[in-house]
Amino acid sequence: MGKPVPSGWSLAGGVVVQAEVVVALIAGGAGLAVAVASVPLNYALARRVRREDEQDLMARYRDPFLWAMHDLRSRIRTILDDEFLTRFLINGEDAIPTSVDFMNVYARRHTVFVLAEYLGWVEIVRRTVGFLDLGDQRMNRSLLEYLTTIRRVLFAVDLDPIFHVPTGQQRAIGELMIVPERDGERRNWRCIGFAEFCARLDRDEYFAGWFKRVDQGVVNFASQAPGSNRLVELNMRLTELIDFLDPSQTRFPLRDQERPHYRSQE
């Protein structure tokens, strides 16, 4: 017979082991098992948190991005349907005549602004979420295709000169149109408004220089015969993109309504 096992010890596999060691080994093994089992759970939780952050970004940026698309499309339609540029740049129409020719300056600057604002939001989306995550790979791919198509329409050399913006200039204008802002510890972006845009045109030659070519295209177009294949194409592509992001017309319920009988100055 073997020697008796001392008090507080146990026999494990023919080896005498102190009871506290056995308890420690069991506890350690259980802890390891819990840790291993928690890896998939922690990964899932991290993905969920990241997903919620992405959805928050999407909610924050999708609506202003849609407004920028809507404003650009609205201006394109007034140019095509109401001869907006010809009326104010050539004919000098103004409901309230002033000595500073307000509507002439406004028409030029705001037309350039709505294009620049759209490019600014494209840059924000590019920097922040890559592209707006719609929760479905097929929809994400479709969105990227819409944005790519509009980018190509803007730089196509075989279309009208108005709104001809090479790819690099599109990025540069987008970069100039956005400014950072803080939301707690998170860094967000916003697009500058029309008032700030005009102020920077007046005081910042470097900033204004990036828009001279676009502005000249607007001025030249005002004296041409009505019609523009680039604007027609942009109108169609922007409409498709807005319909894609707002299929139920929740944000723009009247966008398909017939044109009003009065002539809008917008």
PDB file of all heavy atoms in Angstrom, residues 25-46:
ATOM      1  N   LEU A  25      -6.351  25.418 -10.538  1.00  0.00           N
ATOM      2  CA  LEU A  25      -6.338  24.905 -11.906  1.00  0.00           C
ATOM      3  C   LEU A  25      -7.735  24.860 -12.499  1.00  0.00           C
ATOM      4  O   LEU A  25      -7.952  25.211 -13.666  1.00  0.00           O
ATOM      5  CB  LEU A  25      -5.709  23.512 -11.934  1.00  0.00           C
ATOM      6  CG  LEU A  25      -4.189  23.458 -11.688  1.00  0.00           C
ATOM      7  CD1 LEU A  25      -3.734  22.007 -11.581  1.00  0.00           C
ATOM      8  CD2 LEU A  25      -3.449  24.162 -12.809  1.00  0.00           C
ATOM      9  N   ILE A  26      -8.681  24.420 -11.679  1.00  0.00           N
ATOM     10  CA  ILE A  26     -10.071  24.356 -12.162  1.00  0.00           C
ATOM     11  C   ILE A  26     -10.581  25.749 -12.486  1.00  0.00           C
ATOM     12  O   ILE A  26     -11.193  26.007 -13.534  1.00  0.00           O
ATOM     13  CB  ILE A  26     -10.970  23.672 -11.123  1.00  0.00           C
ATOM     14  CG1 ILE A  26     -10.561  22.204 -10.970  1.00  0.00           C
ATOM     15  CG2 ILE A  26     -12.442  23.795 -11.519  1.00  0.00           C
ATOM     16  CD1 ILE A  26     -11.302  21.481  -9.865  1.00  0.00           C
ATOM     17  N   ALA A  27     -10.301  26.708 -11.557  1.00  0.00           N
ATOM     18  CA  ALA A  27     -10.765  28.073 -11.767  1.00  0.00           C
ATOM     19  C   ALA A  27     -10.106  28.690 -12.998  1.00  0.00           C
ATOM     20  O   ALA A  27     -10.745  29.370 -13.796  1.00  0.00           O
ATOM     21  CB  ALA A  27     -10.473  28.922 -10.525  1.00  0.00           C
ATOM     22  N   GLY A  28      -8.803  28.423 -13.153  1.00  0.00           N
ATOM     23  CA  GLY A  28      -8.097  28.955 -14.313  1.00  0.00           C
ATOM     24  C   GLY A  28      -8.645  28.394 -15.609  1.00  0.00           C
ATOM     25  O   GLY A  28      -8.812  29.109 -16.594  1.00  0.00           O
ATOM     26  N   GLY A  29      -8.902  27.080 -15.606  1.00  0.00           N
ATOM     27  CA  GLY A  29      -9.461  26.460 -16.804  1.00  0.00           C
ATOM     28  C   GLY A  29     -10.824  27.023 -17.145  1.00  0.00           C
ATOM     29  O   GLY A  29     -11.138  27.276 -18.308  1.00  0.00           O
ATOM     30  N   ALA A  30     -11.630  27.228 -16.096  1.00  0.00           N
ATOM     31  CA  ALA A  30     -12.963  27.794 -16.334  1.00  0.00           C
ATOM     32  C   ALA A  30     -12.854  29.211 -16.880  1.00  0.00           C
ATOM     33  O   ALA A  30     -13.579  29.605 -17.793  1.00  0.00           O
ATOM     34  CB  ALA A  30     -13.768  27.777 -15.035  1.00  0.00           C
ATOM     35  N   GLY A  31     -11.906  29.987 -16.311  1.00  0.00           N
ATOM     36  CA  GLY A  31     -11.720  31.347 -16.791  1.00  0.00           C
ATOM     37  C   GLY A  31     -11.273  31.390 -18.237  1.00  0.00           C
ATOM     38  O   GLY A  31     -11.718  32.232 -19.020  1.00  0.00           O
ATOM     39  N   LEU A  32     -10.369  30.474 -18.580  1.00  0.00           N
ATOM     40  CA  LEU A  32      -9.901  30.405 -19.965  1.00  0.00           C
ATOM     41  C   LEU A  32     -11.038  30.051 -20.904  1.00  0.00           C
ATOM     42  O   LEU A  32     -11.175  30.617 -21.988  1.00  0.00           O
ATOM     43  CB  LEU A  32      -8.776  29.383 -20.078  1.00  0.00           C
ATOM     44  CG  LEU A  32      -8.197  29.165 -21.479  1.00  0.00           C
ATOM     45  CD1 LEU A  32      -7.601  30.461 -22.008  1.00  0.00           C
ATOM     46  CD2 LEU A  32      -7.151  28.051 -21.459  1.00  0.00           C
ATOM     47  N   ALA A  33     -11.865  29.104 -20.459  1.00  0.00           N
ATOM     48  CA  ALA A  33     -12.994  28.699 -21.295  1.00  0.00           C
ATOM     49  C   ALA A  33     -13.961  29.855 -21.515  1.00  0.00           C
ATOM     50  O   ALA A  33     -14.452  30.084 -22.621  1.00  0.00           O
ATOM     51  CB  ALA A  33     -13.726  27.522 -20.647  1.00  0.00           C
ATOM     52  N   VAL A  34     -14.206  30.617 -20.422  1.00  0.00           N
ATOM     53  CA  VAL A  34     -15.104  31.773 -20.545  1.00  0.00           C
ATOM     54  C   VAL A  34     -14.517  32.815 -21.477  1.00  0.00           C
ATOM     55  O   VAL A  34     -15.197  33.410 -22.317  1.00  0.00           O
ATOM     56  CB  VAL A  34     -15.382  32.372 -19.153  1.00  0.00           C
ATOM     57  CG1 VAL A  34     -16.122  33.707 -19.287  1.00  0.00           C
ATOM     58  CG2 VAL A  34     -16.185  31.398 -18.310  1.00  0.00           C
ATOM     59  N   ALA A  35     -13.177  33.033 -21.325  1.00  0.00           N
ATOM     60  CA  ALA A  35     -12.519  34.023 -22.174  1.00  0.00           C
ATOM     61  C   ALA A  35     -12.597  33.641 -23.639  1.00  0.00           C
ATOM     62  O   ALA A  35     -12.876  34.477 -24.515  1.00  0.00           O
ATOM     63  CB  ALA A  35     -11.067  34.194 -21.750  1.00  0.00           C
ATOM     64  N   VAL A  36     -12.321  32.361 -23.922  1.00  0.00           N
ATOM     65  CA  VAL A  36     -12.381  31.889 -25.298  1.00  0.00           C
ATOM     66  C   VAL A  36     -13.794  32.007 -25.857  1.00  0.00           C
ATOM     67  O   VAL A  36     -14.013  32.436 -26.994  1.00  0.00           O
ATOM     68  CB  VAL A  36     -11.870  30.433 -25.396  1.00  0.00           C
ATOM     69  CG1 VAL A  36     -12.118  29.881 -26.785  1.00  0.00           C
ATOM     70  CG2 VAL A  36     -10.391  30.376 -25.054  1.00  0.00           C
ATOM     71  N   ALA A  37     -14.762  31.624 -25.021  1.00  0.00           N
ATOM     72  CA  ALA A  37     -16.152  31.674 -25.468  1.00  0.00           C
ATOM     73  C   ALA A  37     -16.632  33.108 -25.681  1.00  0.00           C
ATOM     74  O   ALA A  37     -17.524  33.366 -26.479  1.00  0.00           O
ATOM     75  CB  ALA A  37     -17.048  30.968 -24.447  1.00  0.00           C
ATOM     76  N   SER A  38     -16.013  34.060 -24.933  1.00  0.00           N
ATOM     77  CA  SER A  38     -16.472  35.456 -25.032  1.00  0.00           C
ATOM     78  C   SER A  38     -15.921  36.181 -26.248  1.00  0.00           C
ATOM     79  O   SER A  38     -16.403  37.259 -26.596  1.00  0.00           O
ATOM     80  CB  SER A  38     -16.071  36.224 -23.770  1.00  0.00           C
ATOM     81  OG  SER A  38     -14.667  36.345 -23.681  1.00  0.00           O
ATOM     82  N   VAL A  39     -14.906  35.590 -26.905  1.00  0.00           N
ATOM     83  CA  VAL A  39     -14.319  36.253 -28.063  1.00  0.00           C
ATOM     84  C   VAL A  39     -15.346  36.510 -29.160  1.00  0.00           C
ATOM     85  O   VAL A  39     -15.486  37.639 -29.650  1.00  0.00           O
ATOM     86  CB  VAL A  39     -13.114  35.463 -28.599  1.00  0.00           C
ATOM     87  CG1 VAL A  39     -12.669  36.014 -29.946  1.00  0.00           C
ATOM     88  CG2 VAL A  39     -11.964  35.513 -27.609  1.00  0.00           C
ATOM     89  N   PRO A  40     -16.108  35.483 -29.581  1.00  0.00           N
ATOM     90  CA  PRO A  40     -17.131  35.754 -30.603  1.00  0.00           C
ATOM     91  C   PRO A  40     -18.171  36.759 -30.137  1.00  0.00           C
ATOM     92  O   PRO A  40     -18.635  37.591 -30.915  1.00  0.00           O
ATOM     93  CB  PRO A  40     -17.758  34.368 -30.855  1.00  0.00           C
ATOM     94  CG  PRO A  40     -16.733  33.398 -30.384  1.00  0.00           C
ATOM     95  CD  PRO A  40     -16.059  34.053 -29.222  1.00  0.00           C
ATOM     96  N   LEU A  41     -18.533  36.695 -28.839  1.00  0.00           N
ATOM     97  CA  LEU A  41     -19.530  37.619 -28.316  1.00  0.00           C
ATOM     98  C   LEU A  41     -19.012  39.044 -28.334  1.00  0.00           C
ATOM     99  O   LEU A  41     -19.714  39.970 -28.752  1.00  0.00           O
ATOM    100  CB  LEU A  41     -19.906  37.213 -26.894  1.00  0.00           C
ATOM    101  CG  LEU A  41     -20.921  38.134 -26.179  1.00  0.00           C
ATOM    102  CD1 LEU A  41     -22.228  38.176 -26.945  1.00  0.00           C
ATOM    103  CD2 LEU A  41     -21.143  37.661 -24.739  1.00  0.00           C
ATOM    104  N   ASN A  42     -17.752  39.232 -27.881  1.00  0.00           N
ATOM    105  CA  ASN A  42     -17.168  40.575 -27.895  1.00  0.00           C
ATOM    106  C   ASN A  42     -17.057  41.111 -29.322  1.00  0.00           C
ATOM    107  O   ASN A  42     -17.265  42.299 -29.571  1.00  0.00           O
ATOM    108  CB  ASN A  42     -15.780  40.552 -27.242  1.00  0.00           C
ATOM    109  CG  ASN A  42     -15.868  40.308 -25.747  1.00  0.00           C
ATOM    110  OD1 ASN A  42     -16.893  40.571 -25.122  1.00  0.00           O
ATOM    111  ND2 ASN A  42     -14.783  39.822 -25.161  1.00  0.00           N
ATOM    112  N   TYR A  43     -16.695  40.228 -30.241  1.00  0.00           N
ATOM    113  CA  TYR A  43     -16.581  40.630 -31.646  1.00  0.00           C
ATOM    114  C   TYR A  43     -17.941  41.069 -32.182  1.00  0.00           C
ATOM    115  O   TYR A  43     -18.061  42.089 -32.861  1.00  0.00           O
ATOM    116  CB  TYR A  43     -16.044  39.470 -32.465  1.00  0.00           C
ATOM    117  CG  TYR A  43     -15.965  39.743 -33.952  1.00  0.00           C
ATOM    118  CD1 TYR A  43     -15.005  40.618 -34.459  1.00  0.00           C
ATOM    119  CD2 TYR A  43     -16.852  39.139 -34.841  1.00  0.00           C
ATOM    120  CE1 TYR A  43     -14.928  40.888 -35.816  1.00  0.00           C
ATOM    121  CE2 TYR A  43     -16.789  39.403 -36.203  1.00  0.00           C
ATOM    122  CZ  TYR A  43     -15.815  40.270 -36.678  1.00  0.00           C
ATOM    123  OH  TYR A  43     -15.754  40.525 -38.015  1.00  0.00           O
ATOM    124  N   ALA A  44     -18.972  40.286 -31.817  1.00  0.00           N
ATOM    125  CA  ALA A  44     -20.323  40.629 -32.265  1.00  0.00           C
ATOM    126  C   ALA A  44     -20.777  41.964 -31.674  1.00  0.00           C
ATOM    127  O   ALA A  44     -21.389  42.789 -32.355  1.00  0.00           O
ATOM    128  CB  ALA A  44     -21.297  39.516 -31.897  1.00  0.00           C
ATOM    129  N   LEU A  45     -20.457  42.167 -30.383  1.00  0.00           N
ATOM    130  CA  LEU A  45     -20.842  43.419 -29.741  1.00  0.00           C
ATOM    131  C   LEU A  45     -20.111  44.607 -30.372  1.00  0.00           C
ATOM    132  O   LEU A  45     -20.692  45.670 -30.568  1.00  0.00           O
ATOM    133  CB  LEU A  45     -20.549  43.344 -28.238  1.00  0.00           C
ATOM    134  CG  LEU A  45     -21.447  42.407 -27.420  1.00  0.00           C
ATOM    135  CD1 LEU A  45     -20.952  42.322 -25.985  1.00  0.00           C
ATOM    136  CD2 LEU A  45     -22.895  42.886 -27.449  1.00  0.00           C
ATOM    137  N   ALA A  46     -18.815  44.407 -30.663  1.00  0.00           N
ATOM    138  CA  ALA A  46     -18.039  45.477 -31.288  1.00  0.00           C
ATOM    139  C   ALA A  46     -18.596  45.828 -32.663  1.00  0.00           C
ATOM    140  O   ALA A  46     -18.684  46.999 -33.038  1.00  0.00           O
ATOM    141  CB  ALA A  46     -16.573  45.061 -31.397  1.00  0.00           C
TER     142      ALA A  46
END
